[in-house]
């Protein structure tokens, strides 16, 4: 990808994996489907069972060759989230409720303004995050700061977040 294309990457995504979307341009225009994968580095999404193309695969060790139908990525501007009330495509807006929770709402002409629920597939974690517990005593404060530094290095290089929990033990002598 060139530097011009990198400048046009979407930084604040409003479409998530598991969302029910309608394709608004292309050969599958007007059809709805569920987002299977989001490719943020290319501003593209893969919709389950839509935008099928034929792929010629050469035979090799361990797999058979042939012509297969695979889902090709669509540009994110060619899909819109379906309003849960009206069933029509709509824009997505952000709103804060009275209790401070951030929710997505439907916007646009003919939109109901209802809350778009977070997809259930995003709530499922295949592996739990590891947790490091550090008890903070006054003489060992700098040791715990180094543990926090190790947690940040771990999550940077291993691409897996690490929960660091610091418990302050306020013992005065």
């Amino acid at each position: 990808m060139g530097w011009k294309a990198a400048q046009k990457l979407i930084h604040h995504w409003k479409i998530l994996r598991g969302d029910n979307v309608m394709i608004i341009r292309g050969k599958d225009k007007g059809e709805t489907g569920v987002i299977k994968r989001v490719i943020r580095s290319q501003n593209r999404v893969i919709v389950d069972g839509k935008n099928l193309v034929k792929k010629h695969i050469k035979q090799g060790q361990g797999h058979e060759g042939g012509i297969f139908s695979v889902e090709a990525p669509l540009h994110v501007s060619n899909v819109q989230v379906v309003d849960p009330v009206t069933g029509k495509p709509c824009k997505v807006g952000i709103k804060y409720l009275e209790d401070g929770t951030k929710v997505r709402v439907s916007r646009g002409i003919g939109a109901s303004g209802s809350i778009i629920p977070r997809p259930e597939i995003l709530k499922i974690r295949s592996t739990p995050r590891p947790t490091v517990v550090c008890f903070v005593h006054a003489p060992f404060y700098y040791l715990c700061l180094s543990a926090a530094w190790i947690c940040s290095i771990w999550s940077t290089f291993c691409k897996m977040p690490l929960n660091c929990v610091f418990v302050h033990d306020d013992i005065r002598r």
Side-chain angles (χ1 to χ4, degrees):
M1 170 184 344
W3 63 274
K4 286 264 190 192
Q7 285 180 335
K8 296 178 182 176
L9 286 178
I10 298 171
H11 297 292
H12 303 290
W13 281 71
K14 296 180 180 178
I15 295 178
L16 303 172
R17 178 172 53 106
D19 273 341
N20 192 13
V21 295
M22 182 177 283
I23 300 172
I24 57 173
R25 286 188 191 91
K27 64 181 181 181
D28 293 328
K29 179 179 177 179
E31 297 181 15
T32 61
V34 177
I35 291 186
K36 186 177 181 181
R37 185 173 169 214
V38 176
I39 308 169
R40 292 182 182 225
S41 62
Q42 299 175 359
N43 288 344
R44 295 185 179 272
V45 294
I46 295 177
V47 181
D48 198 20
K50 306 296 179 205
N51 199 28
L52 296 174
V53 294
K54 299 287 186 181
K55 184 86 173 169
H56 296 256
I57 297 177
K58 189 176 180 181
Q59 183 178 358
Q61 288 182 337
H63 64 85
E64 209 172 300
I67 302 172
F68 299 100
S69 291
V70 295
E71 298 143 343
L74 287 162
H75 196 269
V76 73
S77 65
N78 295 336
V79 297
Q80 276 190 329
V81 176
V82 173
D83 190 340
V85 175
T86 62
K88 295 180 179 179
C90 65
K91 295 179 182 179
V92 178
I94 304 294
K95 183 179 177 184
Y96 290 93
L97 299 178
E98 287 81 18
D99 60 350
T101 57
K102 185 177 175 181
V103 293
R104 300 182 303 158
V105 294
S106 59
R107 288 181 46 232
I109 300 170
S112 64
S114 63
I115 294 175
I116 300 171
R118 190 167 172 83
E120 291 293 324
I121 195 165
L122 294 180
K123 297 177 184 175
I124 302 168
R125 284 194 70 85
S126 58
T127 57
R129 291 182 179 171
T131 304
V132 173
V133 179
C134 182
F135 292 96
V136 180
H137 297 291
F140 302 110
Y141 178 71
Y142 293 107
L143 178 66
C144 292
L145 288 180
S146 65
W149 182 75
I150 290 170
C151 290
S152 65
I153 295 297
W154 169 272
S155 58
T156 302
F157 288 112
C158 297
K159 303 293 185 202
M160 182 175 167
L162 184 67
N163 291 338
C164 292
V165 178
F166 295 99
V167 179
H168 181 66
D169 190 10
D170 192 15
I171 300 175
R172 306 268 183 204
R173 293 185 189 179

